[in-house]
Structure formats: structure tokens, C-alpha cells
């Protein structure tokens, strides 16, 4: 079993059966992540947290 770890929450991930979220964009891979291990998330939520992406609400 291939084990990985979410770089945000630290959760252990079974990379073979569960799969994981990885940024495939080449620009981000080069500019944002120092190592391939950092580009590993258990969920879209953790991925968004890592990139400081969240839902914002504007005033009408
Ligand atoms: Zn996570």
C-alpha cells in the first residue's frame, strides 16, 4: 500500500485506493511547491486552504 500524507492536515492517505488531490497546473507546481510531497492533499478543502482560497461575499 502506497502511503502519502496530506500536507495541510497531516492525514494519512492511501494513495492507491483513496487517491488524493494534487495540483496539476505546471506554473503552480514550479512556483508554489518546493517538493512533490507538498503537492498532496486529502481533499479539495485542504487544497483550497493551502492556496488561501475561500468563498468571499461581496456587499450588494
Ligand atoms: Zn487534509
Amino acid at each position: 500500500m502506497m502511503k502519502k500524507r496530506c500536507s495541510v492536515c497531516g492525514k494519512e492517505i492511501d494513495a492507491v485506493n483513496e487517491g488524493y488531490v494534487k495540483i496539476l497546473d505546471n506554473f503552480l507546481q514550479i512556483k508554489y511547491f518546493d517538493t512533490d510531497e507538498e503537492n498532496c492533499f486529502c481533499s479539495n478543502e485542504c487544497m483550497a486552504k493551502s492556496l488561501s482560497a475561500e468563498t468571499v461575499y461581496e456587499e450588494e
Side-chain angles (χ1 to χ4, degrees):
M1 190 159 62
M2 176 105 166
K3 288 275 190 190
K4 281 186 163 281
R5 205 169 273 280
C6 175
S7 69
V8 173
C9 72
K11 186 186 159 211
E12 205 168 70
I13 300 161
D14 177 347
V16 175
N17 296 305
E18 295 178 330
Y20 58 95
V21 178
K22 178 178 185 171
I23 305 259
L24 300 177
D25 180 84
N26 198 250
F27 179 84
L28 281 176
Q29 283 186 348
I30 291 165
K31 299 288 183 188
Y32 185 76
F33 298 103
D34 292 328
T35 65
D36 202 44
E37 282 80 64
E38 287 173 40
N39 189 3
C40 176
F41 310 100
C42 69
S43 62
N44 282 329
E45 201 185 325
C46 277
M47 180 269 290
K49 228 181 256 178
S50 171
L51 296 178
S52 304
E54 61 181 59
T55 305
V56 294
Y57 300 90
E58 298 200 345
E59 297 198 24
E60 282 191 78

